[in-house]
Amino acid sequence: MERARRDVYKRVCLLVAAGAIGGGLALFASLYSILASAQNELTSFASEFLQQDDKVARDIAETLDAGNHSPHPFCSEPDMEFMRELLFKSPYLKDVGRVRDGLFFCSAVAGKLTTPTPFISEKLIKVDGKLVYFGAHLRVAKGHTAEIVSQGTTDAVVSPSVFSDFNRPPMAYTGAILDRNTRQIQQMYTNSSVEMPLHYLLADKIMRKDGVLYYPQCSKTQPDCVLVAMPMDKIWSPHYSSMAGAFAGGSLLGIMLSGVIMVMNRRRRSLGNQLRRALRKKALWVLYQPVVDLDSGSLVGCEALVRWNDENDTPVRPDIFVGIAEELGFVGEITRFVVERVASEIGDLLRANPWFRVSVNLSAMDLADENFIPMLDGILKAKGVAAASVGLELTERSTADRDRTVKVIRELKDRGHVVYIDDFGTGYSSLAYLSELSVDVLKIDQAFTKTIGTDSVTAAIVPQILEMAKALMLKVVVEGVEEQAQADYLEERSSGLQVQGWLFGRPVPSGELRTRVKNEAKLVG
Ligand code: C2E
Ligand code: CA
Ligand code: CA
C-alpha cells in the first residue's frame, strides 16, 4: 500500500517536472522569438531613419551649393527670387537665406532685414565645413525653433517635421554625428524624453541596459548615426497572453509526452511480468522456418523461432519480448525454453535425420552465462540429440566481448555444434573478425536481400559479402528471400548457398515441419 502510494507520488512529481520543463522550454522559445522580432523592428527602424537622414542631408548640401553659386548680387531682389526657387524645389527646407560674418541678412521667406542679426540657437557645431545651429529661434515663426545649416553665404532652415514619421512609440531615436577620428559624438535630433547613452554608437551592436534595448547604426556615406531604443517591458507586454499560451501548451505537451513514456514503460514492465508468468506456465511456443539448399532445392534444416501472445491474447513480436527479457535479465529462460521445446518436439526427427539441422537463436547473456553450455548439453543428451544437429545463432552485437565469445564458440564447436553469425551486415564487425572467431556460417540479413535487383548502393554489397565469405571458406545462409528473382540472382552469383525466406517456407509448427522433413527424407532415401 505504502509502495503504491509512493509510486503515485513519484509519477505525479515526474509529470509536474515534465510540465514545468516543457512549459519552460516553450516559454523560452517564445521569449526568444519575441525578442528576435523586436530586434528586427529596431534594426529596420534605424535603417529607415538613416535613409531619411541621408535624403535630408543631400537636399541641404545641394541647396547650399546652388545658393552659393547665385549669379545675382547678395540679397538683391533677383537673388531672393533665386532663393525662393531653391526653396520651392526642396522637399525638406522651410527657408533659404543669406549670411555673412555670422549675421543673417535676408531670406526667401523673411525678405530683407533692415538690420542684419546673428542666429540665436541652443548649440552650434561645425560638420563638413558647414555650421549647424540647433534649436535656432526663427525670425518668421516667432516662438518656433528649427535646425539651420549654413555654408558660405547661404543658410537653409530644415523643416522640423523631417523626422515626424519616426514618432512611433514605444520606439525612440536620437540622431547624432560621429567623428570617427576623434570619436566625438554630437547629438542632433531626438524624440526621446530621456538622454540616450550615445557612446553605444561606438559599439555597433544591439545592447541591453537598465531595461532598455538599444540598437546603434551609422550611415555608410555620412558621418550621421542613429541610436534607437525600446523599453523591454514594452517589448513583452503585448505578448503576455501568447507567452502564457506557450507556457501552457509546452507544459501540456511535456505532460502528455512523459505520460506516453510512462504508459509505454508500464506496458514494458507489465509485459515483462506477463512474460515471466508465461515462461513459468510454459505458455510460449516455437515455430520452425525451413532452410533450403539453393542449388538442389532440398530442405537442409530449419530455424527455431519463439512465439508468445500476451495475457490479452495479442501476439507480441519476438524481437520486442526478447528485448524486454534481455533488459530485465531473464532472456536465458527463453533460450532454455526454446532448447527444451526443440528437443521435445523435434528431437526424434533430428535423431532420425542426421542431414537435417535446427538452429537456435542466442543472446549476449547466454554467452556470458556459465550455465548455458551445461544446460544445452544436458537437455540434448536427455533426448539423445547430437550436437551436430543443433546450430547456434549469435548476432554481431552479442559477440562484443571478444575473449568470452572466442571461448564459448570454441567450446560449442568442440562439442560438434555449428555456429552461425546472424543478421550479418547490420553490426560493425568485419568479416575478418568473424573468421577470427571461427564461426561456421554467415546469415546475411534480410535488409540486404531486399536490395537485390534494385539500384541501391547496398545492393552492391551482397556479391561482395558472397565473394569474401567464399575466400574465408564460410558457408552462407541468405535470409528473407521472398521472390523468385532474388533466388535466381543468388543462384547465378554463387554456388552452395543456403536460403531462408517466405519463398521457401514460412515459420510453421512442428507438425507441419515433420511432414516436410518426412517427404524430403523419402526423396533422399
Ligand atoms: P532473426 O533471427 O533474423 O529471424 C528471422 C526473422 O525473419 C523471423 O522473424 C522470420 O519470421 C523472418 N522472416 C523469415 N523469412 C522472411 C521473409 O522472407 N521475409 C520477411 N520479411 N521476414 C522473414 P521473427 O520470427 O519475427 O523473429 C524476429 C527476431 O526475433 C529474430 O530475427 C530474432 O532476432 C528474434 N528471435 C526470434 N526467436 C528467437 C529466440 O528463440 N531467441 C532469441 N534470442 N531471439 C529470437
Ligand atoms: Ca536468427
Ligand atoms: Ca537474422
Side-chain angles (χ1 to χ4, degrees):
M1 195 59 205
E2 184 56 29
R3 193 169 155 200
R5 205 175 312 137
R6 240 184 298 134
D7 252 20
V8 171
Y9 177 72
K10 222 162 80 187
R11 243 170 266 150
V12 170
C13 283
L14 263 169
L15 285 177
V16 169
I21 292 171
L25 285 175
L27 183 61
F28 181 77
S30 133
L31 293 182
Y32 184 83
S33 93
I34 293 168
L35 196 58
S37 93
Q39 290 186 355
N40 269 342
E41 217 180 321
L42 277 184
T43 48
S44 55
F45 180 65
S47 304
E48 233 182 280
F49 185 93
L50 281 180
Q51 273 171 20
Q52 172 78 350
D53 183 74
D54 217 41
K55 282 192 219 158
V56 175
R58 241 179 297 136
D59 186 29
I60 296 171
E62 281 165 15
T63 307
L64 292 178
D65 187 53
N68 286 331
H69 288 91
S70 164
H72 310 291
F74 188 83
C75 278
S76 63
E77 203 36 57
D79 190 35
M80 284 196 284
E81 186 54 39
F82 182 76
M83 289 189 286
R84 265 179 228 119
E85 236 172 79
L86 289 180
L87 180 61
F88 184 73
K89 279 193 256 166
S90 154
Y92 302 119
L93 300 180
K94 283 283 184 196
D95 198 3
V96 179
R98 291 272 173 232
V99 284
R100 188 182 281 156
D101 302 329
L103 297 177
F104 170 56
F105 282 79
C106 66
S107 80
V109 176
K112 195 165 177 176
L113 267 63
T114 38
T115 350
T117 49
F119 291 123
I120 301 168
S121 78
E122 281 168 16
K123 190 164 73 178
L124 169 65
I125 61 169
K126 205 169 172 185
V127 195
D128 270 356
K130 297 184 186 74
L131 291 171
V132 185
Y133 300 85
F134 286 102
H137 292 271
L138 298 180
R139 181 164 300 279
V140 190
K142 291 269 183 296
H144 289 268
T145 58
E147 177 197 348
I148 299 179
V149 186
S150 85
Q151 187 174 32
T153 59
T154 313
D155 76 83
V157 178
V158 183
S159 166
S161 63
V162 285
F163 293 114
S164 59
D165 268 2
F166 291 85
N167 290 327
R168 300 180 204 164
M171 285 189 286
Y173 65 78
T174 298
I177 289 171
L178 168 66
D179 184 330
R180 295 221 175 257
N181 298 325
T182 61
R183 293 163 74 85
Q184 264 186 348
I185 299 165
Q186 290 284 357
Q187 176 170 326
M188 298 196 293
Y189 335 89
T190 185
N191 71 347
S192 168
S193 52
V194 289
E195 202 170 313
M196 287 218 216
L198 286 178
H199 58 281
Y200 282 6
L201 289 174
L202 299 166
D204 206 21
K205 63 174 188 220
I206 289 251
M207 314 275 274
R208 201 186 319 178
K209 190 160 186 275
D210 297 337
V212 181
L213 192 64
Y214 294 98
Y215 177 67
Q217 197 178 332
C218 290
S219 160
K220 301 252 179 315
T221 52
Q222 317 274 345
D224 296 12
C225 296
V226 68
L227 183 65
V228 292
M230 178 137 69
M232 294 302 291
D233 59 338
K234 294 285 190 308
I235 294 178
W236 305 131
S237 55
H239 300 285
Y240 284 153
S241 61
S242 75
M243 278 149 65
F247 183 80
S251 303
L252 200 67
L253 199 69
I255 290 173
M256 271 160 49
L257 271 177
S258 56
V260 168
I261 292 171
M262 266 180 208
V263 168
M264 274 164 60
N265 267 340
R266 256 175 82 176
R267 165 139 176 94
R268 266 182 102 72
R269 265 215 309 276
S270 132
L271 271 184
N273 290 333
Q274 292 181 38
L275 183 58
R276 276 200 177 98
R277 284 194 285 273
L279 277 163
R280 243 176 274 137
K281 290 190 279 182
K282 306 220 182 287
L284 295 83
W285 67 101
V286 174
L287 296 183
Y288 303 87
Q289 186 175 29
V291 176
V292 166
D293 175 75
L294 184 59
D295 297 335
S296 63
S298 53
L299 184 70
V300 290
C302 66
E303 176 176 0
L305 294 162
V306 68
R307 294 291 179 261
W308 174 55
N309 288 0
D310 70 7
E311 288 171 4
N312 297 322
D313 209 25
T314 309
V316 185
R317 281 178 27 209
D319 36 357
I320 302 279
F321 70 79
V322 166
I324 293 176
E326 269 172 349
E327 244 171 64
L328 299 177
F330 63 92
V331 71
E333 288 178 45
I334 295 184
T335 311
R336 183 189 179 93
F337 169 85
V338 173
V339 174
E340 279 173 348
R341 245 327 132 82
V342 165
S344 66
E345 282 187 336
I346 61 166
D348 57 336
L349 208 63
L350 296 169
R351 265 196 319 268
N353 300 282
W355 51 269
F356 185 78
R357 187 192 300 143
V358 62
S359 63
V360 171
N361 291 286
L362 300 187
S363 92
M365 276 178 186
D366 296 316
L367 295 192
D369 181 3
E370 299 279 351
N371 295 320
F372 165 66
I373 291 184
M375 176 274 287
L376 179 68
D377 267 358
I379 295 171
L380 297 184
K381 283 212 178 86
K383 293 282 175 186
V385 177
S389 299
V390 179
L392 298 156
E393 300 193 5
L394 319 178
T395 62
E396 288 181 61
R397 284 180 301 286
S398 62
T399 59
D401 179 352
R402 182 196 179 110
D403 294 343
R404 179 75 199 159
T405 307
V406 168
K407 184 166 177 279
V408 176
I409 290 178
R410 193 182 314 119
E411 285 180 27
L412 288 171
K413 289 182 70 171
D414 285 349
R415 283 168 169 73
H417 291 288
V418 172
V419 178
Y420 296 69
I421 281 291
D422 199 2
D423 301 343
F424 180 74
T426 59
Y428 299 104
S429 38
S430 64
L431 264 178
Y433 173 56
L434 297 177
S435 76
E436 259 181 76
L437 293 181
S438 65
V439 297
D440 304 291
V441 187
L442 281 190
K443 295 191 83 167
I444 299 184
D445 190 66
Q446 37 179 290
F448 294 103
T449 313
K450 282 202 173 69
T451 66
I452 291 178
T454 67
D455 291 335
S456 114
V457 186
T458 33
I461 294 177
V462 177
Q464 263 185 42
I465 298 178
L466 295 178
E467 279 296 308
M468 287 164 76
K470 201 175 185 182
L472 294 166
M473 293 197 299
L474 290 170
K475 278 200 83 60
V476 174
V477 180
V478 182
E479 293 186 288
V481 179
E482 293 179 0
E483 290 159 21
Q484 189 58 48
Q486 294 167 332
D488 293 345
Y489 173 94
L490 292 166
E491 203 167 2
E492 260 173 46
R493 291 289 155 146
S494 194
S495 60
L497 284 183
Q498 293 186 349
V499 282
Q500 182 183 345
W502 295 344
L503 185 63
F504 303 97
R506 300 218 176 200
V508 291
S510 61
E512 267 180 60
L513 179 81
R514 191 173 289 279
T515 314
R516 226 176 132 162
V517 173
K518 281 187 178 152
N519 289 341
E520 197 75 36
K522 271 185 220 145
L523 288 176
V524 174

